[in-house]
Amino acid sequence: MSLFQSHEPIRFDVPDAEIILYPHFIAFEQALVFFEKLKQDVPWQQDSITVYGKTYPQPRLTALFGNEGKPYAYSTIVMQPHPWNPLLTFIKESVESVCHERFTTVLLNLYRNGQDSNGWHADNERELGRNPVIASLSLGAERMFHLQHNTYKDSKLKINLTPGSLLLMRGTTQHFWKHQVPKTSQLVGPRINLTFRLLK
């Protein structure tokens, strides 16, 4: 069984980045099955995060799966990985076959409703190495994904991430751009995204 749908990817013409969207990487019905399975089976956690000296619950649930027990640290959080399960291994190998990359780790985010979010940041942690490749698979409700260049403030993107879509960020994207999933006042259902990465 292959997840990949034979649709042409969308390549965004922006400076200092290589950003590619596969809008229909997973068929809608299959994406729904994967969403329900992951929502039910993944050991979700809610960590506290400290920003400007204030600590509060992270506005989403997360889980980490990976090779060799390597932890992953971002902001003030250090996550310990669970071992790969068969479903996540299958999805990872399908993503790798399209991206022509190898991934060791996946960080999963569960956005329970429109008030769950992920603030402006770049995936530029030291353990990701130089010019990291980040592959982000979306399941569940649609959410907007914003990107903005660090220097050229007019260089912005807003991408509607639909269920089954795969967003690939590579090259110097994480050095020159930041991204977020903002809160929304619209009534939206839960969303899961899987962000695959290679820990050095």
Side-chain angles (χ1 to χ4, degrees), residues 68-86:
E68 302 170 357
K70 287 184 179 179
Y72 179 60
Y74 65 96
S75 299
T76 56
I77 297 170
V78 179
M79 299 187 71
Q80 299 296 330
H82 302 283
W84 291 99
N85 63 34

Side-chain angles (χ1 to χ4, degrees), residues 113-151:
N113 52 51
Q115 292 307 295
D116 275 0
S117 62
N118 197 344
W120 286 112
H121 70 284
D123 296 321
N124 57 2
E125 290 78 20
R126 185 189 310 174
E127 56 263 48
L128 297 178
R130 184 173 178 80
N131 295 340
V133 177
I134 307 295
S136 177
L137 175 66
S138 295
L139 304 170
E142 298 181 11
R143 290 293 291 266
M144 293 301 297
F145 186 76
H146 295 181
L147 299 106
Q148 180 172 306
H149 196 283
N150 296 331
T151 304

Side-chain angles (χ1 to χ4, degrees), residues 53-65:
K54 294 184 177 181
T55 301
Y56 57 92
Q58 195 169 210
R60 63 190 180 280
L61 306 184
T62 60
L64 186 74
F65 289 76

Side-chain angles (χ1 to χ4, degrees), residues 84-117:
W84 291 99
N85 63 34
L87 175 56
L88 288 173
T89 299
F90 173 66
I91 296 174
K92 177 177 83 78
E93 290 173 352
S94 299
V95 171
E96 288 174 334
S97 69
V98 173
C99 301
H100 305 292
E101 299 287 345
R102 181 177 67 90
F103 299 110
T104 61
T105 304
V106 62
L107 175 64
L108 295 91
N109 297 285
L110 171 56
Y111 300 85
R112 295 160 293 183
N113 52 51
Q115 292 307 295
D116 275 0
S117 62

Side-chain angles (χ1 to χ4, degrees), residues 8-200:
E8 286 296 318
I10 299 170
R11 299 177 184 272
F12 296 92
D13 184 15
V14 292
D16 304 319
E18 187 177 351
I19 302 170
I20 304 168
L21 177 67
Y22 299 87
H24 308 287
F25 179 69
I26 300 178
F28 179 81
E29 295 79 6
Q30 190 66 64
L32 181 59
V33 171
F34 287 170
F35 170 81
E36 294 295 344
K37 181 71 173 171
L38 293 172
K39 185 172 182 287
Q40 176 179 333
D41 293 350
V42 166
W44 299 104
Q45 64 191 63
Q46 185 173 28
D47 294 301
S48 296
I49 189 168
T50 302
V51 179
Y52 299 120
K54 294 184 177 181
T55 301
Y56 57 92
Q58 195 169 210
R60 63 190 180 280
L61 306 184
T62 60
L64 186 74
F65 289 76
N67 297 358
E68 302 170 357
K70 287 184 179 179
Y72 179 60
Y74 65 96
S75 299
T76 56
I77 297 170
V78 179
M79 299 187 71
Q80 299 296 330
H82 302 283
W84 291 99
N85 63 34
L87 175 56
L88 288 173
T89 299
F90 173 66
I91 296 174
K92 177 177 83 78
E93 290 173 352
S94 299
V95 171
E96 288 174 334
S97 69
V98 173
C99 301
H100 305 292
E101 299 287 345
R102 181 177 67 90
F103 299 110
T104 61
T105 304
V106 62
L107 175 64
L108 295 91
N109 297 285
L110 171 56
Y111 300 85
R112 295 160 293 183
N113 52 51
Q115 292 307 295
D116 275 0
S117 62
N118 197 344
W120 286 112
H121 70 284
D123 296 321
N124 57 2
E125 290 78 20
R126 185 189 310 174
E127 56 263 48
L128 297 178
R130 184 173 178 80
N131 295 340
V133 177
I134 307 295
S136 177
L137 175 66
S138 295
L139 304 170
E142 298 181 11
R143 290 293 291 266
M144 293 301 297
F145 186 76
H146 295 181
L147 299 106
Q148 180 172 306
H149 196 283
N150 296 331
T151 304
Y152 309 128
K153 298 306 181 183
D154 290 336
S155 291
K156 302 176 182 180
L157 285 175
K158 291 185 179 180
I159 304 173
N160 185 29
L161 295 180
T162 55
S165 63
L166 177 68
L167 183 70
L168 183 62
M169 296 180 287
R170 62 196 318 164
T172 59
T173 305
Q174 303 304 323
H175 299 292
F176 291 97
W177 290 72
K178 55 182 175 289
H179 53 270
Q180 69 164 349
V181 177
K183 297 181 186 297
T184 176
S185 59
Q186 298 178 358
L187 293 177
V188 296
R191 168 186 181 254
I192 292 173
N193 89 301
L194 299 82
T195 56
F196 293 92
R197 55 199 72 203
L198 170 64
L199 296 190
K200 303 294 186 179

